[in-house]
Amino acid sequence: MAGVDYLADERNKAQFDVDAMKIVWAGSRHAFEVSDRISKLVANDPAFAKDERTMMPRKELFKNTLRKAAYAWKKINELRLSEEEASKLRFYVDEPAFTDLHWGMFVPFIKGQGTDEQQQKWLSLAYKMQIIGCYAQTELGHGSNVQGLETTATFDPQTDEFVIHSPTLTSSKWWPGGLGKVSTHAVVFARLITDGKEYGVHGFIVQLRSLEDHQPLPGVTVGDIGMKFGNGAYNTMDNGVLRFDHVRIPRDHMLMRFSQVTRDGKYKQSDVPRQLVYGTMVYVRQTIVQDASSALSRAVCIATRYSAVRRQFGSQNGGPETQVIDYKTQQSRLFPLLASAYAFRFAGEWLKWLYTDVTQRLQANDFSTLPEAHACTAGLKSLTTSATADAIEECRKLCGGHGYLCTSGLPELFAVYVPACTYEGDNIVMLLQVARFLMKTVSQLAFGKQLTGTIAYMGRLEHLMECRCSVQKAEDWLNPSAVLEVFEARAARMSVSGAQRLSNFTNPEEGFAELSADLVEAAVAHCQLIVVSKFIEKLQQDIPGQGVKEQLKALCGIYYLYLLHKHQGDFLATSCITPKQASLANDLLRTLYSQVRPNAVALVDAFNYTDHYLGSILGCYDGNVYAKLYDAAWKDPLNESVVPDGYQEFIRPLLKRQLGNAKL
Amino acid sequence: MAGVDYLADERNKAQFDVDAMKIVWAGSRHAFEVSDRISKLVANDPAFAKDERTMMPRKELFKNTLRKAAYAWKKINELRLSEEEASKLRFYVDEPAFTDLHWGMFVPFIKGQGTDEQQQKWLSLAYKMQIIGCYAQTELGHGSNVQGLETTATFDPQTDEFVIHSPTLTSSKWWPGGLGKVSTHAVVFARLITDGKEYGVHGFIVQLRSLEDHQPLPGVTVGDIGMKFGNGAYNTMDNGVLRFDHVRIPRDHMLMRFSQVTRDGKYKQSDVPRQLVYGTMVYVRQTIVQDASSALSRAVCIATRYSAVRRQFGSQNGGPETQVIDYKTQQSRLFPLLASAYAFRFAGEWLKWLYTDVTQRLQANDFSTLPEAHACTAGLKSLTTSATADAIEECRKLCGGHGYLCTSGLPELFAVYVPACTYEGDNIVMLLQVARFLMKTVSQLAFGKQLTGTIAYMGRLEHLMECRCSVQKAEDWLNPSAVLEVFEARAARMSVSGAQRLSNFTNPEEGFAELSADLVEAAVAHCQLIVVSKFIEKLQQDIPGQGVKEQLKALCGIYYLYLLHKHQGDFLATSCITPKQASLANDLLRTLYSQVRPNAVALVDAFNYTDHYLGSILGCYDGNVYAKLYDAAWKDPLNESVVPDGYQEFIRPLLKRQLGNAKL
Ligand SMILES: Cc1cc2nc3c(=O)[nH]c(=O)nc-3n(C[C@H](O)[C@H](O)[C@H](O)COP(=O)(O)OP(=O)(O)OC[C@H]3O[C@@H](n4cnc5c(N)ncnc54)[C@H](O)[C@@H]3O)c2cc1C
Ligand SMILES: Cc1cc2nc3c(=O)[nH]c(=O)nc-3n(C[C@H](O)[C@H](O)[C@H](O)COP(=O)(O)OP(=O)(O)OC[C@H]3O[C@@H](n4cnc5c(N)ncnc54)[C@H](O)[C@@H]3O)c2cc1C
Ligand SMILES: [Ca+2]
């Protein structure tokens, strides 16, 4: 049946121009073109095949990733790919690898924290991959609290060197990706000690392995930390452990852009403003939000296509059964996730703009927007990664039993995605930062401080504390300004109520600790407002393509009404809406589900994912799910023989009641 | 530092008698004694070691499980273990295996659906494991909708045989555990056809493999369906695929307790009431609720102990940092799960009673309580498994980065647990059944039908529709009858509102379909009420042990207040409580967290889990987490060599810029 499109009916139903939507999703025609070309290049090259990934034992899996990384680098050079193309290629290879840390952390960090000379020296090596670097911050005993790291870097004026040392077991570096087996170098974070005094945690470039035979250098103990969640997933990555026994590095391996140690051991701040480091942080978090929309859209694509293929119950007179996507329960679980994928996409797009804006201001020594940008990116990092992790698992459940098979792609997608909730800032720690920012903002309102960006709404606090939602019938919930006001009022009222309760404590720190769980909810409300408002702003732009804007409007409606329903308790408790208005919102939500239903498959086609990237039989483009599942099963190593290995020793004696003498 | 208890301080803080709590948790002194003895027997026997499980390739993993199953059976026979002890032993071996289906589905099903002669014949073989059986219902194309199965069993009067056949690809049996590589026999579900007429789906005992050489019998194609979620997890199980090409079985292999086909091909119902099958269903679901409390308590035990070991931030004057269990955000995520573990334990205990009650009534031909028991068990199955799956992942996140390592035990616990949300009834399909039952109950209220059991509260509908919650200060939320009334009112009002909206539809089926997502929320409210009320009932019993009841009261409070906060929207929208009362509930919740805090480690010690069963370094009894993590890392296969396999081919040429000629 090759060539048959089992989803053709669904595609014919679509009421909008899918090609135009593809460009909206990609962000621009150029971005679409690069993405489309590179994803096909990867998909069509058998060297990048990944279907056997979950069946490989760790060593084989890891070796295969080394091969792919080398092959990808060869291709990148042969085809003279641009930086943009090269990074897309690594993205579509779709396998965590040491190169992620080399390009994503090591290089940017040296760019951000190295002096000009340091950049010249190290980046020229790194760009050609003549050295491979990783980012060694976390230790066995310290992750979130970076200031608590225990590794030391003690300056020895006698030899003009730093001595890097791991004084305790808990000071062992633990987790850095690319460290365990591959990296030749690392940016190592350690407490700087000079002249008998400690100056806090700083970054140092440390060579770990010989460039000749890859053996660890003297004093360096290094290895892999072992298996992680899932089969393939992050097990293609050599997250590592690292201990130093008085390892000496030249003084100029300290990254000295912001501070330095002089030849005679004096510690000095440079005149480069430290705030510049936040630029990098905004950049990294923006990519995390982008990645969230990628992972989420992938899961949603699989669940949507399979829900259109899968039929269960409801057959009348022997006719075909109902497609499970037609069940309202299925829609009410799936479509909000589809809407979230689009919502996070646009939030990520806006964060790109924010990054440019922040960078320009920093260059002009304008630090005024930093606290707001910092809180906003911390919050969106937390919101989008948590939602995406949950959504992937929900998509898996939406596929019933078959979602539990690795060939569905969803178990691995979940396993590889979830650490995003933990790395680059634990999501609760992030929300606590947002909460602090909100409490500070409220407490400063009295002083008439000018509020800009995503916190500007707090400037209209008086109005927001008393406004009443005007919705009277379901369709009134389609009015963007009514919606925005309700989300603003909820966020503002929750913050104010938190601040009021804080003021009952004599010690504000104790109060913050005691109320922190509630304050985190206020932070979530603030972050949801940001995503909703960015989606609404997007719709105020000119968006070409027949029917495209209508679909996005429906998705935007689903997104905010779903949040409204899910957090109904917040909205009602703060009297932002009435029970009647909540119920009207739910009525409209159902209508929007029906509106999206005929467009669902086309809306996930717009992500333009190849079957290779998707890596899922349930989500395959042509919907020929059952034949592919059946064929794939036979490739499991267990099926190499009909009678399993172990039959003679363990099954036969059991059946024959001859276990008595068996060696087990 | 062997022998040091890093959690001793925590254990000294406990304000209750842990040994007494262990007996409450186990259900009885006898149950505790058996559980304690068998779990230690398994833990101390190196044949049952499981630490290498996540590193084994599939074939090795599977063979190892065959070995353990044979060894366990040998032990069971040698030690002449009782049925209770044998099943505990399999439980503590903690590895999905073909024996689960043999003992858990094949045997009970023959007991339930076989005639006396059939039982005599098949059970005597099965009890001695001279045959190994599985349960082959689900097909590639049909799971939830059992009536849609496609496999046929056509009676051939000529030979007095049934012909079992797989007419389509989608009719291939798919998923049955133990089928892929081990089972010699299966209960196969197929559409019975005789005399040219179809009589729906029935069960047949079909031999699949030769008892001599384990080869599939003629016409049987059978294999494993491939890798599933996680590394070890369910990959120790041979979930299988099975196709029949006109396989013939004797007529008396049809399970004939409820209906039969005569020698001349006539289909006949027997006079045994069909309702008896529901007894088995109640039994199976009761074990699922028990399993939920086991899995959840395990995850909570790991996260609680580790949260007491882990310190992060908050160091004053160089002193130790704060234990993360002292953060209110950590408590507000963890303690409700601890409370849920106890709540589900008591719900499970009550379901055991319900099963006895239902069985006795069935034997007396009293079917009156069946619909209620059916809805209640379906609902609790859904509620407890969904909550447990989410909770395990939350516990993993509560452990920060280290929770992502397989040695934390949590990834595998999640992967092995989640299918419980899907098998034995997809959780949404279950809730839809509860919703139907609720709508039917409401519609019949007018006819004055007597309501009993978990639905009795609907008999007080008039009162529940108008009652007002009397809570005026936080402690008023400690009053169990006030709490029960609020939960009853919420459930009742949500059901009634659903029924009212249903009545606006001319076609009630269409209405149900359209409103199903909302009705599912009413079903959840009903099920939560059941769990809360069973916890409260438990506390009305006499519970010995110093301080034990106080702890359980605190946990019960945390459980219902957590639900109240999480579903605040329901309670407010139905005007069961006011925003002020919701906020008071939250205040009390924080107080209860502080109350539980010093007892947390002791409350998880009360589960009495061995380190073997727990399978988690983060959760190990002595809290010596870091040394164990460090030592375990070196056992990963990747660490067999310092320089990784693949260095010469892929890393060195890359560093040396010699990829041009490399074969990749
Ligand atoms: C796949 C993966 C890849 C990684 N890659 C790298 C890498 O390349 N380089 C590197 O240096 N590191 C890496 N890490 C480490 C990662 O950055 C840390 O795991 C992360 O920062 C979280 O810190 P933690 O593990 O110490 O969690 P913890 O801080 O120990 O968190 C444990 C619990 O405590 C809570 N908690 C902590 N502090 C507070 C507080 N103040 N208030 C309330 N609650 C609190 C958290 O919410 C969490 O529930 C990686 C981790 C993973 C999982
Ligand atoms: C680990 C594992 C072990 C198993 N072991 C066995 C075994 O030993 N023997 C055996 O026979 N089977 C076994 N199964 C199969 C299992 O019983 C089925 O997977 C289960 O019944 C769910 O059915 P499904 O997969 O067809 O899901 P589907 O019904 O296809 O579900 C897909 C989606 O459709 C939705 N849906 C379906 N019907 C409706 C409806 N009427 N209204 C609204 N939504 C609906 C569901 O909620 C879900 O979101 C096993 C499965 C697993 C994962
Ligand atoms: Ca594996």
Side-chain angles (χ1 to χ4, degrees):
Chain A
M1 298 284 267
V4 175
D5 180 1
Y6 291 79
L7 289 167
D9 276 358
E10 290 292 332
R11 296 190 165 109
N12 289 334
K13 277 188 217 168
Q15 296 153 319
F16 69 99
D17 178 347
V18 180
D19 289 330
M21 187 68 92
K22 284 183 181 176
I23 289 167
V24 175
W25 176 262
S28 70
R29 182 167 297 278
H30 167 79
F32 168 76
E33 184 279 322
V34 173
S35 201
D36 184 61
R37 181 163 43 83
I38 301 289
S39 69
K40 283 176 181 152
L41 186 147
V42 172
N44 294 330
D45 191 333
F48 292 125
K50 59 185 193 185
D51 4 306
E52 314 241 306
R53 199 156 55 180
T54 56
M55 300 177 220
M56 290 182 180
R58 178 89 201 274
K59 273 171 85 168
E60 205 181 305
L61 179 73
F62 184 71
K63 187 172 175 183
N64 194 39
T65 300
L66 294 181
R67 179 188 59 72
K68 285 190 195 179
Y71 183 78
W73 184 235
K74 186 177 163 184
K75 278 274 149 199
I76 287 167
N77 287 307
E78 275 176 11
L79 302 174
R80 296 168 187 278
L81 298 189
S82 68
E83 223 182 286
E84 182 190 11
E85 291 165 327
S87 104
K88 276 281 169 218
L89 185 134
R90 281 189 293 269
F91 176 82
Y92 282 116
V93 168
D94 184 37
E95 212 160 88
F98 66 89
T99 45
D100 299 350
L101 284 302
H102 178 80
W103 295 109
M105 295 294 284
F106 184 72
V107 165
F109 203 79
I110 294 175
K111 268 194 199 166
Q113 311 242 323
T115 60
D116 288 348
E117 306 88 79
Q118 288 180 318
Q119 296 196 31
Q120 204 148 28
K121 170 174 174 182
W122 295 107
L123 292 182
S124 65
L125 290 166
Y127 284 149
K128 288 179 263 168
M129 294 203 91
Q130 290 176 290
I131 60 173
I132 299 170
C134 68
Y135 184 86
Q137 180 176 297
T138 308
E139 298 174 354
L140 247 185
H142 285 96
S144 297
N145 182 17
V146 178
Q147 295 316 315
L149 295 176
E150 298 176 76
T151 304
T152 52
T154 311
F155 183 63
D156 178 353
Q158 223 109 55
T159 59
D160 199 21
E161 289 171 321
F162 284 106
V163 182
I164 312 285
H165 188 60
S166 311
T168 60
L169 177 72
T170 47
S171 74
S172 311
K173 293 292 171 189
W174 188 270
W175 272 120
L179 166 66
K181 292 289 151 184
V182 180
S183 294
T184 60
H185 290 67
V187 173
V188 171
F189 291 81
R191 305 179 164 273
L192 192 164
I193 301 169
T194 181
D195 223 3
K197 260 184 74 182
E198 231 205 74
Y199 293 90
V201 172
H202 288 72
F204 301 82
I205 297 183
V206 183
Q207 181 172 352
L208 304 175
R209 291 181 168 93
S210 152
L211 291 170
E212 281 319 307
D213 61 8
H214 214 61
Q215 287 292 339
L217 297 187
V220 169
T221 304
V222 63
D224 185 274
I225 58 171
M227 289 297 286
K228 289 146 288 186
F229 205 156
N231 255 292
Y234 248 90
N235 292 306
T236 56
M237 179 72 89
D238 53 333
N239 295 93
V241 46
L242 170 63
R243 288 182 61 76
F244 295 107
D245 182 5
H246 300 94
V247 171
R248 292 179 165 265
I249 57 169
R251 180 168 54 92
D252 69 359
H253 284 204
M254 169 181 170
L255 287 165
M256 304 230 200
R257 184 161 180 214
F258 297 111
S259 51
Q260 38 184 282
V261 169
T262 59
R263 177 62 192 88
D264 56 347
K266 294 278 163 291
Y267 180 81
K268 273 201 200 161
Q269 301 277 3
S270 79
D271 49 10
V272 181
R274 277 205 67 83
Q275 284 93 333
L276 286 184
V277 296
Y278 289 107
T280 318
M281 201 176 262
V282 173
Y283 175 77
V284 172
R285 291 197 183 142
Q286 165 249 301
T287 64
I288 291 185
V289 173
Q290 290 285 352
D291 289 348
S293 76
S294 301
L296 176 50
S297 56
R298 219 167 137 173
V300 164
C301 180
I302 297 168
T304 302
R305 287 185 183 157
Y306 181 63
S307 294
V309 169
R310 185 70 171 173
R311 292 169 179 275
Q312 207 78 212
F313 295 103
S315 160
Q316 253 128 25
N317 317 318
E321 293 167 289
T322 306
Q323 292 167 284
V324 298
I325 198 174
D326 283 327
Y327 292 115
K328 270 281 173 304
T329 46
Q330 191 87 354
Q331 294 176 5
S332 72
R333 294 156 72 202
L334 179 59
F335 291 170
L337 307 182
L338 174 60
S340 303
Y342 278 91
F344 296 172
R345 195 69 174 184
F346 300 139
E349 209 170 69
W350 170 76
L351 278 177
K352 250 192 213 164
W353 169 85
L354 183 73
Y355 171 62
T356 325
D357 183 61
V358 165
T359 313
Q360 283 169 358
R361 285 172 191 270
L362 287 177
Q363 277 156 3
N365 271 333
D366 166 7
F367 308 126
S368 65
T369 62
L370 263 188
E372 185 256 315
H374 188 254
C376 154
T377 53
L380 292 186
K381 185 275 173 185
S382 175
L383 179 87
T384 57
T385 55
S386 286
T388 296
D390 292 350
I392 296 170
E393 171 60 11
E394 183 70 1
C395 285
R396 199 192 58 70
K397 291 203 181 88
L398 283 162
C399 295
H402 300 347
Y404 190 63
L405 284 170
C406 286
T407 46
S408 80
L410 291 164
E412 290 297 298
L413 188 57
F414 183 76
V416 84
Y417 189 75
V418 281
C421 298
T422 305
Y423 61 53
E424 287 302 323
D426 171 273
N427 278 356
I428 292 297
V429 175
M430 292 293 98
L431 289 176
L432 287 168
Q433 291 180 8
V434 177
R436 268 187 201 283
F437 168 72
L438 292 174
M439 291 309 103
K440 200 168 164 188
T441 303
V442 174
S443 74
Q444 293 179 338
L445 276 178
F447 309 111
K449 193 161 171 266
Q450 185 65 31
L451 298 174
T452 56
T454 55
I455 195 69
Y457 69 102
M458 286 281 202
R460 289 178 281 112
L461 191 63
E462 246 177 276
H463 171 69
L464 292 176
M465 291 305 289
E466 57 192 26
C467 62
R468 305 209 152 273
C469 171
S470 60
V471 167
Q472 294 192 315
K473 47 189 197 312
E475 307 84 69
D476 292 346
W477 278 118
L478 290 173
N479 174 1
S481 51
V483 169
L484 271 181
E485 191 173 84
V486 162
F487 274 82
E488 287 174 350
R490 165 207 182 208
R493 292 179 195 187
M494 288 175 79
S495 281
V496 167
S497 133
Q500 275 165 349
R501 289 159 73 208
L502 265 186
S503 66
N504 296 333
F505 288 80
T506 38
N507 179 337
E509 274 310 305
E510 267 172 31
F512 190 88
E514 177 66 18
L515 299 176
S516 56
D518 300 334
L519 297 177
V520 156
E521 293 181 3
V524 169
H526 171 72
C527 299
Q528 289 177 345
L529 163 64
I530 299 177
V531 181
V532 167
S533 67
K534 295 308 156 194
F535 204 151
I536 289 178
E537 278 174 23
K538 175 82 190 177
L539 293 177
Q540 280 151 3
Q541 294 170 20
D542 188 38
I543 301 178
Q546 180 258 317
V548 169
K549 201 175 217 173
E550 284 65 38
Q551 291 307 316
L552 293 177
K553 275 190 180 159
L555 290 173
C556 182
I558 288 177
Y559 183 66
Y560 62 68
L561 293 172
Y562 150 75
L563 289 181
L564 196 112
H565 181 63
K566 190 172 165 199
H567 298 271
Q568 183 173 293
D570 289 355
F571 289 95
L572 291 171
T574 52
S575 302
C576 290
I577 62 171
T578 63
K580 174 74 192 161
Q581 288 168 331
S583 158
L584 291 172
N586 236 9
D587 291 343
L588 178 59
L589 196 47
R590 280 201 311 279
T591 311
L592 292 178
Y593 290 156
S594 304
Q595 226 166 291
V596 160
R597 164 65 189 92
N599 298 290
V601 168
L603 282 168
V604 302
D605 283 351
F607 305 146
N608 198 43
Y609 292 144
T610 62
D611 278 351
H612 172 275
Y613 179 64
L614 219 45
S616 166
I617 288 179
L618 302 190
C620 64
Y621 183 85
D622 69 5
N624 188 13
V625 166
Y626 297 117
K628 289 180 191 181
L629 278 178
Y630 189 83
D631 291 347
W634 301 103
K635 295 184 189 141
D636 192 273
L638 263 194
N639 287 326
E640 280 163 20
S641 63
V642 176
V643 173
D645 202 10
Y647 165 70
Q648 290 297 344
E649 303 96 302
F650 310 125
I651 301 179
R652 193 179 153 84
L654 182 144
L655 288 167
K656 297 289 173 195
R657 300 177 66 65
Q658 292 164 343
L659 283 177
N661 319 313
K663 265 198 70 181
L664 302 172
Chain B
M1 298 284 267
V4 175
D5 179 0
Y6 291 79
L7 288 167
D9 276 357
E10 290 292 331
R11 296 189 165 109
N12 289 334
K13 278 188 219 169
Q15 297 152 319
F16 69 99
D17 178 347
V18 180
D19 288 331
M21 187 67 93
K22 284 183 180 176
I23 288 167
V24 175
W25 176 262
S28 70
R29 183 167 295 278
H30 168 79
F32 169 75
E33 184 278 321
V34 173
S35 201
D36 185 60
R37 179 163 44 83
I38 302 289
S39 68
K40 285 176 181 152
L41 187 148
V42 172
N44 294 330
D45 191 333
F48 292 125
K50 58 186 192 185
D51 2 308
E52 314 243 304
R53 198 154 58 178
T54 56
M55 300 177 221
M56 290 182 180
R58 179 89 202 274
K59 273 171 85 169
E60 205 182 306
L61 179 74
F62 184 70
K63 187 172 175 184
N64 194 40
T65 300
L66 294 181
R67 179 188 59 73
K68 286 190 194 178
Y71 182 78
W73 185 234
K74 187 176 160 184
K75 278 275 148 198
I76 287 167
N77 287 308
E78 276 176 9
L79 302 174
R80 298 168 186 277
L81 299 189
S82 67
E83 223 181 286
E84 182 191 12
E85 292 166 328
S87 106
K88 275 284 169 219
L89 185 134
R90 281 189 292 270
F91 176 81
Y92 283 117
V93 168
D94 184 38
E95 211 159 270
F98 65 89
T99 44
D100 299 349
L101 285 302
H102 178 80
W103 295 109
M105 296 295 284
F106 185 71
V107 165
F109 202 80
I110 294 175
K111 269 194 198 166
Q113 310 243 322
T115 61
D116 289 347
E117 307 87 79
Q118 288 179 318
Q119 295 196 32
Q120 204 148 30
K121 170 174 174 182
W122 294 107
L123 291 181
S124 64
L125 290 167
Y127 284 149
K128 286 179 263 166
M129 295 205 91
Q130 290 176 292
I131 60 172
I132 299 170
C134 67
Y135 183 86
Q137 178 176 297
T138 308
E139 298 174 354
L140 246 185
H142 285 97
S144 297
N145 182 16
V146 178
Q147 296 314 316
L149 294 176
E150 297 176 76
T151 305
T152 52
T154 311
F155 184 62
D156 178 354
Q158 223 108 55
T159 59
D160 198 21
E161 289 171 322
F162 284 106
V163 182
I164 312 285
H165 188 59
S166 311
T168 60
L169 176 72
T170 47
S171 74
S172 310
K173 293 293 174 191
W174 188 270
W175 272 118
L179 166 66
K181 292 289 152 184
V182 181
S183 293
T184 60
H185 289 67
V187 173
V188 171
F189 291 81
R191 305 178 162 275
L192 192 163
I193 301 168
T194 181
D195 224 5
K197 261 184 73 182
E198 232 206 72
Y199 293 91
V201 172
H202 289 71
F204 301 83
I205 297 182
V206 184
Q207 182 172 351
L208 305 175
R209 290 180 168 95
S210 153
L211 290 170
E212 281 320 305
D213 61 8
H214 214 61
Q215 287 292 339
L217 297 187
V220 170
T221 304
V222 63
D224 185 274
I225 58 171
M227 288 297 286
K228 289 146 289 186
F229 205 157
N231 254 293
Y234 247 90
N235 292 306
T236 56
M237 179 74 90
D238 54 332
N239 296 91
V241 47
L242 169 66
R243 288 182 62 75
F244 296 106
D245 182 5
H246 300 94
V247 171
R248 290 177 166 266
I249 57 168
R251 179 169 54 92
D252 68 0
H253 283 203
M254 171 183 170
L255 287 164
M256 303 230 202
R257 183 159 180 215
F258 297 111
S259 53
Q260 39 185 277
V261 169
T262 60
R263 177 63 192 89
D264 57 347
K266 292 280 166 288
Y267 180 82
K268 272 201 196 161
Q269 301 277 4
S270 79
D271 48 12
V272 181
R274 275 205 68 84
Q275 284 92 333
L276 287 184
V277 295
Y278 289 107
T280 319
M281 201 177 263
V282 173
Y283 175 76
V284 172
R285 292 195 183 144
Q286 165 249 293
T287 63
I288 291 186
V289 174
Q290 290 285 354
D291 289 347
S293 74
S294 300
L296 175 50
S297 55
R298 221 166 135 172
V300 164
C301 180
I302 297 168
T304 302
R305 288 184 182 158
Y306 181 63
S307 293
V309 169
R310 185 70 171 173
R311 292 170 180 274
Q312 206 78 211
F313 295 103
S315 160
Q316 255 129 21
N317 316 322
E321 293 168 288
T322 307
Q323 292 167 285
V324 298
I325 198 173
D326 283 326
Y327 292 115
K328 270 278 173 307
T329 46
Q330 192 86 353
Q331 295 176 5
S332 73
R333 295 154 73 202
L334 179 59
F335 291 169
L337 308 181
L338 173 61
S340 303
Y342 278 91
F344 296 172
R345 194 70 175 186
F346 300 139
E349 208 170 69
W350 171 76
L351 277 177
K352 250 192 213 162
W353 169 85
L354 183 73
Y355 172 62
T356 325
D357 183 62
V358 164
T359 312
Q360 284 168 359
R361 284 170 192 271
L362 287 177
Q363 276 156 3
N365 271 334
D366 167 6
F367 307 127
S368 65
T369 63
L370 263 189
E372 185 256 316
H374 188 253
C376 155
T377 54
L380 291 186
K381 186 272 174 188
S382 176
L383 179 86
T384 58
T385 55
S386 285
T388 297
D390 292 350
I392 296 170
E393 172 58 11
E394 183 71 1
C395 285
R396 198 191 60 68
K397 291 203 181 89
L398 283 163
C399 296
H402 300 347
Y404 190 62
L405 284 170
C406 286
T407 46
S408 81
L410 291 163
E412 289 298 296
L413 187 58
F414 183 77
V416 84
Y417 188 75
V418 282
C421 298
T422 305
Y423 59 53
E424 287 301 325
D426 171 272
N427 278 355
I428 293 298
V429 175
M430 293 292 97
L431 289 177
L432 287 167
Q433 291 181 8
V434 177
R436 268 188 201 284
F437 168 72
L438 292 174
M439 292 307 103
K440 201 169 163 187
T441 303
V442 173
S443 74
Q444 293 178 339
L445 275 178
F447 307 111
K449 194 161 169 266
Q450 185 64 32
L451 298 175
T452 55
T454 56
I455 195 69
Y457 69 102
M458 285 280 205
R460 288 177 282 112
L461 191 63
E462 246 178 274
H463 171 70
L464 292 175
M465 291 305 287
E466 56 191 28
C467 61
R468 304 210 154 272
C469 170
S470 60
V471 167
Q472 293 192 314
K473 49 187 195 314
E475 307 83 70
D476 293 345
W477 277 118
L478 291 173
N479 173 0
S481 53
V483 169
L484 271 182
E485 192 173 83
V486 162
F487 273 82
E488 287 175 350
R490 163 207 182 205
R493 293 179 194 187
M494 288 176 80
S495 281
V496 167
S497 134
Q500 275 165 351
R501 290 158 74 206
L502 265 185
S503 66
N504 296 333
F505 288 80
T506 37
N507 179 336
E509 275 310 305
E510 268 172 30
F512 190 88
E514 177 66 17
L515 300 176
S516 55
D518 300 333
L519 298 176
V520 156
E521 293 180 3
V524 169
H526 171 71
C527 299
Q528 290 178 344
L529 163 64
I530 299 178
V531 180
V532 167
S533 65
K534 295 308 155 193
F535 204 152
I536 289 178
E537 278 173 24
K538 175 82 192 178
L539 292 177
Q540 279 150 5
Q541 294 170 19
D542 188 38
I543 302 177
Q546 181 257 320
V548 168
K549 200 174 217 175
E550 285 64 38
Q551 292 307 317
L552 293 176
K553 274 191 180 160
L555 290 173
C556 181
I558 288 177
Y559 183 67
Y560 61 69
L561 293 172
Y562 151 77
L563 289 181
L564 196 113
H565 181 65
K566 189 171 165 198
H567 298 271
Q568 182 175 296
D570 288 355
F571 290 95
L572 291 172
T574 52
S575 302
C576 290
I577 61 171
T578 63
K580 174 74 193 161
Q581 289 168 331
S583 158
L584 291 172
N586 237 7
D587 291 343
L588 178 59
L589 196 47
R590 278 200 312 277
T591 311
L592 292 177
Y593 290 156
S594 304
Q595 225 165 294
V596 160
R597 165 64 189 92
N599 298 289
V601 167
L603 282 167
V604 302
D605 283 350
F607 304 146
N608 199 41
Y609 291 144
T610 62
D611 278 350
H612 172 274
Y613 179 64
L614 219 45
S616 166
I617 288 179
L618 302 190
C620 64
Y621 184 84
D622 69 5
N624 188 14
V625 166
Y626 297 117
K628 288 179 191 181
L629 278 177
Y630 189 83
D631 291 346
W634 301 101
K635 295 184 188 142
D636 192 273
L638 263 194
N639 287 327
E640 280 163 19
S641 63
V642 175
V643 173
D645 203 9
Y647 165 69
Q648 290 297 341
E649 304 97 301
F650 310 125
I651 301 179
R652 193 179 154 83
L654 181 144
L655 288 167
K656 299 288 174 194
R657 301 176 66 65
Q658 292 164 344
L659 284 176
N661 320 312
K663 266 198 69 181
L664 302 173

